[in-house]
Amino acid sequence: MLRALMYILPLALTIYAFIDCLNTPEDEAKHLPKVVWVIIILLFWIVGPIVWFAAGKMRRAPAGGRTPSEWHRNHRHEWVAPDDNPEFLKSLREENKKDESLLKDWEADLRRREEELKKRERDEDTGSGRKGERGEDTEA
């Protein structure tokens, strides 16, 4: 187990340093161009990552919520998920209001139709009862 750790830990450190170097913007790589740092990390796979972490990158807190990679910097204005976008949430609220008003209209129309149907049934019941009492023929 100890022998395996002697190979796994430097390899993991090298992979982590390589990915960190690739995600670092060019202007934050110190002393050497980023391409040279990648070569150093890959060629000297024990010393290279240590040197990269110690001297290759400017270490500071991101200013203004800036993320470390170039991709994030260029795509920061795009929303990751719909619930992060305030315009999308606003459109959902507006759609919800429209749906609620449509539902209220449908319910009112349904109540009106039910009342008309009940009124028609009452009129038919009272009308058919009167005709039967007078002795009129209901068939035409």
Side-chain angles (χ1 to χ4, degrees):
M1 179 70 181
L2 203 52
R3 287 182 184 169
L5 280 177
M6 288 176 44
Y7 294 103
I8 292 174
L9 286 178
L11 182 64
L13 182 67
T14 301
I15 292 171
Y16 183 76
F18 177 69
I19 293 171
D20 185 49
C21 181
L22 291 178
N23 285 333
T24 301
E26 187 71 40
D27 61 334
E28 290 185 12
K30 294 191 319 186
H31 307 296
L32 297 170
K34 199 162 105 168
V35 175
V36 176
W37 279 115
V38 169
I39 293 170
I40 289 172
I41 290 170
L42 294 178
L43 285 179
F44 307 104
W45 66 285
I46 294 176
V47 177
I50 295 171
V51 173
W52 164 252
F53 289 123
K57 181 179 177 181
M58 289 193 298
R59 303 285 176 191
R60 57 179 166 77
R66 185 173 142 203
T67 55
S69 70
E70 189 71 29
W71 183 88
H72 283 103
R73 188 182 318 171
N74 292 337
H75 294 84
R76 189 170 54 172
H77 63 280
E78 295 178 10
W79 305 105
V80 177
D83 59 346
D84 292 339
N85 186 345
E87 294 172 10
F88 177 75
L89 295 174
K90 183 180 176 185
S91 71
L92 283 181
R93 278 188 231 107
E94 290 172 359
E95 278 186 46
N96 193 19
K97 287 179 184 177
K98 288 178 186 176
D99 291 343
E100 285 178 3
S101 67
L102 185 62
L103 181 63
K104 287 179 183 178
D105 291 343
W106 285 351
E107 288 175 342
D109 187 48
L110 180 64
R111 276 189 233 107
R112 181 185 55 80
R113 289 178 183 209
E114 286 176 343
E115 289 174 5
E116 286 177 3
L117 187 62
K118 287 178 185 177
K119 185 178 178 183
R120 234 185 256 156
E121 287 176 355
R122 272 188 262 135
D123 289 346
E124 288 177 1
D125 288 344
T126 58
S128 66
R130 287 183 188 163
K131 286 182 182 178
E133 289 175 2
R134 291 185 200 161
E136 297 176 2
D137 191 18
T138 55
E139 293 179 24

